[in-house]
Amino acid sequence: MTVSTYSKGPGVPALALAATLLLGSTTPMQADERTYDPEAVAWKKITFRAAKLIFKTSADVELSTVSEEAARAAMVEPSQGEPMMPDGESMLVTTTNSFLGRHSLRRLWLDPENGESYQNDVTETGSRTRYKVYRFTDRGVDVIRRYPANQDEKGQSIENWSDVSTDFDAYPREQWQAYDVTEASALFYVASAAGLRKPGDVLEIPIYAREKLSLAVIKAEELTRIRVDYDELSEGSSRTVSGEIDALRLSASARSLDGEETPVELIGLENIELFVDPETGIPLQLTGSVDVIGKVRARLSAVELR
């Protein structure tokens, strides 16, 4: 199964053509031919833990459904371009992450069926203090950065931080109207909702990563035996799942439209591979690299089922 989506418009758009040239992809399908299936996602919260030498990291990823009214109320007005807006319920992906002395809270609103990102808020504290809003539009992504201007402001609410700047990461003109652009932090949800369940399944999607538009390929590789040890919570009861499982290894790669490789990052790890349960699609393990530390393995420590 190879699934591609790049535009809501008729014909084969420029972004799809770029994908064909860069990735050798098959004929792209129109957006209405490819949808994620929210009902296929078995989890509503997952927790990962990793430790290597003195390095430790943890991450919680939680999914929730948000009404159209509530999602629209959370959206900011971009400086240019036509803003991407929900037309119905949104999926809110909330990620909390502790990584190398930094603590981050990331809230990503997206369309649960086509992955189109609307807005991504990122609050960082600890060794670095800042607030960023990525507002998706038809022509690019509006990036608003806010910092405390002094120590007095650092202890105040974000609304009182006075060091503010705005940039616009424009898509190339030929990619205007390139809808269904997904933010990289959505990949935990994508891995479960895209129906990647057997070796050879491939998903090709445009993503916004490292503040530029890139083309990502998520490929189901081979089944790999891994060890699991996590708590499973469901309807007020819990159990421990421990042992070995044949997990499906998903590789992730991306290239910008000029052909340069774009690192795909999740919870601070780059060059990632995600291992999922082939039956349920639940993410079980994430491997990636960290500068100086090297390869790191983050394992599922808890999952809350829907």
Side-chain angles (χ1 to χ4, degrees):
M1 177 187 74
T2 300
V3 181
S4 309
T5 182
Y6 304 103
S7 172
K8 292 179 179 176
V12 180
L15 184 54
L17 178 59
T20 302
L21 295 175
L22 288 176
L23 305 173
S25 62
T26 57
T27 302
M29 302 168 68
Q30 295 303 303
D32 58 1
E33 293 182 80
R34 194 279 306 171
T35 57
Y36 298 122
D37 181 7
E39 296 302 316
V41 181
W43 56 276
K44 60 182 178 181
K45 184 177 181 180
I46 50 177
T47 299
F48 279 84
R49 299 281 187 267
K52 182 177 182 180
L53 301 176
I54 63 172
F55 170 80
K56 292 183 179 180
T57 186
S58 62
D60 294 320
V61 184
E62 188 167 5
L63 306 178
S64 56
T65 301
V66 180
S67 68
E68 178 181 349
E69 180 182 9
R72 285 177 173 264
M75 302 292 104
V76 302
E77 189 67 25
S79 62
Q80 55 184 293
E82 185 69 23
M84 299 291 98
M85 296 294 285
D87 183 18
E89 290 185 334
S90 297
M91 178 69 71
L92 176 60
V93 183
T94 303
T95 304
T96 56
N97 185 206
S98 296
F99 180 81
L100 295 177
R102 297 197 302 269
H103 309 287
S104 66
L105 170 63
R106 184 184 297 266
R107 300 186 304 163
L108 172 65
W109 284 266
L110 53 80
D111 186 306
E113 293 192 344
N114 63 31
E116 177 180 275
S117 294
Y118 305 128
Q119 182 170 298
N120 187 26
D121 302 345
V122 184
T123 304
E124 295 181 342
T125 57
S127 61
R128 181 168 61 190
T129 302
R130 66 179 177 179
Y131 175 70
K132 295 188 293 184
V133 177
Y134 298 91
R135 186 65 171 98
F136 288 78
T137 79
D138 63 337
R139 297 188 177 189
V141 182
D142 207 29
V143 185
I144 304 167
R145 298 177 178 86
R146 188 181 291 267
Y147 303 84
N150 50 52
Q151 282 300 118
D152 288 339
E153 287 189 359
K154 195 171 183 179
Q156 300 179 29
S157 62
I158 293 173
E159 292 76 12
N160 293 324
W161 294 357
S162 59
D163 184 356
V164 181
S165 64
T166 302
D167 294 309
F168 191 80
D169 295 332
Y171 301 150
R173 180 177 291 270
E174 62 270 21
Q175 268 69 66
W176 285 5
Q177 307 291 326
Y179 296 97
D180 299 353
V181 175
T182 296
E183 208 276 338
S185 62
L187 291 181
F188 279 121
Y189 171 74
V190 167
S192 296
L196 303 173
R197 294 292 189 271
K198 63 182 186 301
D201 287 349
V202 179
L203 176 69
E204 299 172 357
I205 52 174
I207 67 168
Y208 177 74
R210 294 297 178 95
E211 302 188 349
K212 59 184 176 182
L213 182 63
S214 295
L215 298 155
V217 178
I218 315 300
K219 184 177 180 181
E221 306 287 358
E222 75 285 346
L223 291 172
T224 302
R225 178 62 58 99
I226 66 170
R227 180 160 185 81
V228 298
D229 186 8
Y230 61 89
D231 294 326
E232 181 184 278
L233 301 104
S234 177
E235 298 181 349
S237 63
S238 65
R239 69 179 183 126
T240 298
V241 180
S242 182
E244 294 187 338
I245 184 175
D246 289 326
L248 184 62
R249 181 173 69 90
L250 304 182
S251 63
S253 61
R255 290 187 179 276
S256 63
L257 298 186
D258 57 11
E260 293 185 0
E261 184 176 353
T262 303
V264 181
E265 179 182 321
L266 271 179
I267 62 172
L269 305 183
E270 297 182 353
N271 306 313
I272 62 167
E273 292 182 330
L274 186 61
F275 296 79
V276 302
D277 187 322
E279 297 296 326
T280 65
I282 294 174
L284 300 171
Q285 179 177 292
L286 177 71
T287 62
S289 59
V290 179
D291 287 344
V292 182
I293 302 297
K295 188 174 182 179
V296 174
R297 180 184 294 111
R299 291 189 171 96
L300 180 69
S301 62
V303 56
E304 186 174 350
L305 302 180
R306 295 177 55 196

